[in-house]
Amino acid sequence: MEGSRLAVEARGARSREGDWRRNSRAREVRERVVKVLLTACAYLSIFTTVGIVIVLFEETVRFFLDVSVWEFLTSTRWVPSRGEFGVLPLVYGTLMATFIAIAVALPIGLLTAIYLSEYAPNSLRRWLKPALEILAGVPTVVYGYFALTFITPFFKDSLFPGMDTFNALAPGLIMGVMIIPTVASVSEDAIYAVPRSLREGAYALGATRRETATKIVIPAALSGIVAAVILGVSRAIGETMIVTIAMGAQANWLGSPLEGMQAMTAYIVQVVGGETPRGSVAFKSIFAVGSALFLMTLALNLISYWFVRRFREIY
Amino acid sequence: MAQGSRRAEGSKEGTGGPHFKANMAARYGFDRVFTVVVTVAALLGIAVLAVLLVDVVRDGSGMLSPGFLTSFPSQIFPENGGIYPALVGSLWLLGLTFLISVPLGLGAAVYLEEYAEDTRINRMIEINISNLAGVPSVIYGLLGLGIFVQLLAPVTGGASVLSGALTLSLLILPVIIVATREALRAIPRAIREGGYALGATRWEVIRSHLLPMALPGALTGIILALSRAIGEAAPILVVGVALYQTYATAGPLDGYMALPTQIYDWISRPQQVFQDSAAAGIVVIMVVLLVANSAAIVLRNRYQRRS
């Protein structure tokens, strides 16, 4: 239908020479305007990045007029109400939750990827993949609620009676569940890209299915799997609501996973939602913490991007 | 090192026949164990999701009623409270985010796929978009706070639903762009060349053929992106969503509440009745998201079968 309209337009243009020329100039102008508009849409992404960098760094520089960079990076005391701004306890909280999350998501995500690509019958695969995507689409406040009202009480009643109401273990575990789909889908892509001939070579040599999967396919897909894990780490570091709800609001340097602690992302949300006056040092500190967070995830994303590209080049 | 040990294994197998057989039994046994482990691992995530849903429905069922959807939250009679202003606010966020992010996302995708040549700046845009997809959502909140809430306050009205929607739009743009580009890339070259051969300009081919053909694929990405936007709490908390207000949002420059932040507010109160309200709110948002996700999956399956 659309095609025939095009044809009619073209025919009409050919029969009326004068119209065609005038029309053609109008069309040329329209083409140019459209191209400019579309280019602007694409360049918006650059402006977004530039905007993030400017906003973060402007306020961060102001923060560093009040607090020394050295104190921020090396002090292990984070008590904004007393003017103590050492970021390490927040980084520790973030990394503790991330470590627990990856300890869950790496083995389960990888095994899921192996199952999906090497074991699952096609019919099961067709509904398992979308179901996993739903896991990634659950709002993080929901996971936070689950960690606080289900997982923590469960641990308190069974394994760890002395556990704090706010702790790193429960949100870490749940964050791991949230990241499973990320690790699984990126590593499945990598596993999928391993040529069939490698598998068949292994089978021909008498390898069992498990041996083929763990000794041939996984090593061949390793760089993609590393990329998946790095991406998972980056997700976990940036995750906000689970740790805000279930890990607590008290910075805790070198605490155990059973104690409450504060993550970098949680600090930002808790300060913005609290009574901290705009323009105070504590308010500016959220931008400094944000900058640190941005640089950490940026580095991880770039490394992961590099790994994916490298693995693509092999096959 | 690994290779050395493998070679040693090989020589052992070569020399002793009986030993080899015993080994086979162990290997097949291990193989069966591994099959079970892999299957359990693959189903574990789904199992957690199922437990989560059952738990939430059990906690929230007492609060769920038609009145829950149409009442304001209440501090004095929390058991009669509801999510009306949060629901309205989330719908405003959804609508505005749709209006802002879809044209921008489609535009950027069309430019990158149909116009952009392989220049340094275009490659930079591509890397940049994939990086933006990995920036934590709370950072987008800080961006929105600096630009939309503070710098552009005369235009956006400060902490308005418009500022919230602009922030969420920037957050989900990479998702929309990536999905639309993939849909455009799947369209055969012949369609474009047929259009040009008939004298159509580039934009005419895009508007009449490429966009309609890419729509199902793009729409899947758009639905997934918007359902992510609806569930996000962190960025709108930073750009100043209201945790309580006495009116429902009626215009783009009004203040707003939202479902995920209402849930967050309830969770952070100690009383059981608020916890139950949070669970009921979660049931509502999960129903909305499951419907949206299923729609996206159905759409994608139909589209994949056709192409």
Side-chain angles (χ1 to χ4, degrees):
Chain A
M1 197 188 71
E2 289 283 335
S4 66
R5 198 165 58 80
L6 263 185
V8 170
E9 268 177 24
R11 216 181 304 136
R14 211 182 303 137
S15 60
R16 286 170 283 137
E17 273 296 316
D19 268 14
W20 168 245
R21 203 163 283 155
R22 212 179 318 132
N23 196 8
S24 156
R25 212 171 299 131
R27 284 163 95 199
E28 256 172 47
V29 171
R30 194 180 57 193
E31 282 301 305
R32 233 169 286 150
V33 171
V34 164
K35 186 172 177 186
V36 168
L37 287 177
L38 295 177
T39 314
C41 291
Y43 278 57
L44 180 67
S45 74
I46 300 272
F47 291 127
T48 306
T49 304
V50 172
I52 290 175
V53 170
I54 289 177
V55 168
L56 286 181
F57 284 77
E58 189 195 349
E59 296 287 326
T60 303
V61 166
R62 282 198 200 144
F63 171 76
F64 283 135
L65 294 179
D66 297 317
V67 177
S68 80
V69 181
W70 181 251
E71 187 201 334
F72 183 72
L73 292 179
T74 59
S75 162
T76 56
R77 300 180 58 81
W78 182 269
V79 194
S81 55
R82 275 193 274 140
E84 293 181 303
F85 292 99
V87 79
L88 287 177
L90 297 185
V91 175
Y92 178 78
T94 290
L95 292 184
M96 174 63 84
T98 302
F99 179 77
I100 297 169
I102 290 302
V104 172
L106 170 60
I108 296 180
L110 188 53
L111 290 173
T112 303
I114 293 174
Y115 180 76
L116 284 174
S117 64
E118 310 287 309
Y119 284 84
N122 243 335
S123 53
L124 192 62
R125 198 186 132 94
R126 209 170 299 142
W127 74 259
L128 197 59
K129 283 194 80 173
L132 280 172
E133 279 169 36
I134 289 177
L135 213 55
V138 173
T140 52
V141 277
V142 177
Y143 282 125
Y145 174 86
F146 191 61
L148 184 68
T149 67
F150 189 91
I151 304 291
T152 297
F154 172 78
F155 277 136
K156 265 189 174 174
D157 291 343
S158 55
L159 291 171
F160 311 112
M163 187 182 202
D164 293 350
T165 304
F166 297 106
N167 58 74
L169 184 61
L173 290 177
I174 286 301
M175 213 149 84
V177 172
M178 183 193 83
I179 296 167
I180 290 174
T182 306
V183 175
S185 95
V186 179
S187 24
E188 201 216 340
D189 286 346
I191 290 174
Y192 191 77
V194 174
R196 238 187 120 75
S197 56
L198 282 186
R199 293 185 182 82
E200 279 165 4
Y203 287 133
L205 288 172
T208 64
R209 217 175 180 189
R210 197 274 310 170
E211 287 160 350
T212 310
T214 57
K215 292 185 180 169
I216 304 295
V217 175
I218 289 185
L222 198 61
S223 63
I225 293 168
V226 172
V229 173
I230 296 172
L231 209 60
V233 172
S234 155
R235 281 283 148 77
I237 287 179
E239 212 307 299
T240 308
M241 295 317 292
I242 301 178
V243 287
T244 306
I245 290 169
M247 203 164 75
Q250 208 67 53
N252 182 349
W253 174 240
L254 303 183
S256 98
L258 302 183
E259 294 169 15
M261 47 186 79
Q262 193 173 31
M264 300 164 80
T265 49
Y267 173 73
I268 295 173
V269 166
Q270 282 151 354
V271 166
V272 169
E275 307 290 304
T276 312
R278 300 266 156 110
S280 65
V281 185
F283 197 82
K284 284 181 224 160
S285 72
I286 64 173
F287 289 92
V289 173
S291 299
L293 194 65
F294 179 70
L295 291 177
M296 285 163 78
T297 52
L298 182 71
L300 290 169
N301 291 338
L302 288 175
I303 295 171
S304 151
Y305 184 81
W306 180 76
F307 262 102
V308 168
R309 272 177 66 111
R310 221 189 68 164
F311 121 82
R312 266 197 201 136
E313 278 161 18
I314 295 175
Y315 301 113
Chain B
M1 196 188 79
Q3 246 177 355
S5 69
R6 219 175 290 155
R7 218 173 286 140
E9 256 176 46
S11 66
K12 221 185 293 164
E13 283 167 14
T15 50
H19 186 83
F20 181 71
K21 239 174 224 161
N23 203 8
M24 278 313 278
R27 283 165 68 196
Y28 277 122
F30 190 25
D31 212 54
R32 270 192 293 275
V33 172
F34 189 71
T35 308
V36 174
V37 168
V38 185
T39 314
V40 168
L43 297 176
L44 199 67
I46 311 295
V48 173
L49 183 65
V51 173
L52 187 157
L53 290 177
V54 169
D55 176 55
V56 165
V57 169
R58 209 186 43 201
D59 291 355
S61 56
M63 286 294 297
L64 274 176
S65 68
F68 184 70
L69 298 178
T70 56
S71 342
F72 278 71
S74 167
Q75 314 271 5
I76 312 157
F77 303 108
E79 56 282 353
N80 295 328
I83 52 170
Y84 180 67
L87 202 59
V88 173
S90 275
L91 287 177
W92 267 98
L93 277 178
L94 180 67
L96 288 175
T97 305
F98 176 83
L99 290 178
I100 297 163
S101 64
V102 169
L104 290 175
L106 291 182
V110 166
Y111 173 78
L112 290 172
E113 209 52 43
E114 304 296 327
Y115 286 86
E117 278 140 37
D118 191 23
T119 59
R120 181 176 253 182
I121 178 109
N122 289 329
R123 269 202 303 275
M124 216 171 83
I125 292 178
E126 289 197 20
I127 297 177
N128 186 43
I129 287 174
S130 69
N131 260 321
L132 280 177
V135 171
S137 61
V138 70
I139 301 283
Y140 280 95
L142 291 175
L143 171 71
L145 178 66
I147 302 229
F148 303 130
V149 178
Q150 290 174 353
L151 194 67
L152 297 179
V155 187
T156 59
S160 64
V161 66
L162 180 62
S163 295
L166 285 165
T167 307
L168 290 177
S169 297
L170 292 183
L171 174 71
I172 63 171
L173 264 176
V175 184
I176 297 180
I177 294 174
V178 168
T180 310
R181 287 191 67 181
E182 268 167 25
L184 284 170
R185 213 173 299 151
I187 300 174
R189 260 191 92 81
I191 302 278
R192 296 178 181 84
E193 282 165 4
Y196 299 144
L198 288 171
T201 60
R202 196 178 269 209
W203 171 242
E204 281 163 352
V205 171
I206 291 168
R207 202 197 49 196
S208 66
H209 284 67
L210 301 186
L211 279 181
M213 288 180 80
L215 204 60
L219 213 53
T220 309
I222 290 169
I223 295 174
L224 289 177
L226 285 174
S227 58
R228 178 173 171 206
I230 275 296
E232 279 285 357
I236 55 174
L237 276 172
V238 178
V239 295
V241 67
L243 291 179
Y244 183 72
Q245 69 182 21
T246 50
Y247 62 97
T249 310
L253 301 186
D254 283 356
Y256 62 110
M257 297 176 72
L259 271 180
T261 50
Q262 169 75 76
I263 292 166
Y264 166 64
D265 184 47
W266 275 331
I267 294 174
S268 43
R269 293 160 190 266
Q271 296 90 333
Q272 188 57 40
V273 60
F274 288 117
Q275 300 291 320
D276 293 345
S277 304
I282 288 173
V283 171
V284 173
I285 204 170
M286 287 302 289
V287 167
V288 173
L289 291 183
L290 286 178
V291 168
N293 271 295
S294 321
I297 291 165
V298 167
L299 207 64
R300 183 175 54 194
N301 284 351
R302 185 184 295 176
Y303 169 68
Q304 276 175 343
R305 222 171 296 141
R306 220 176 348 138
S307 59

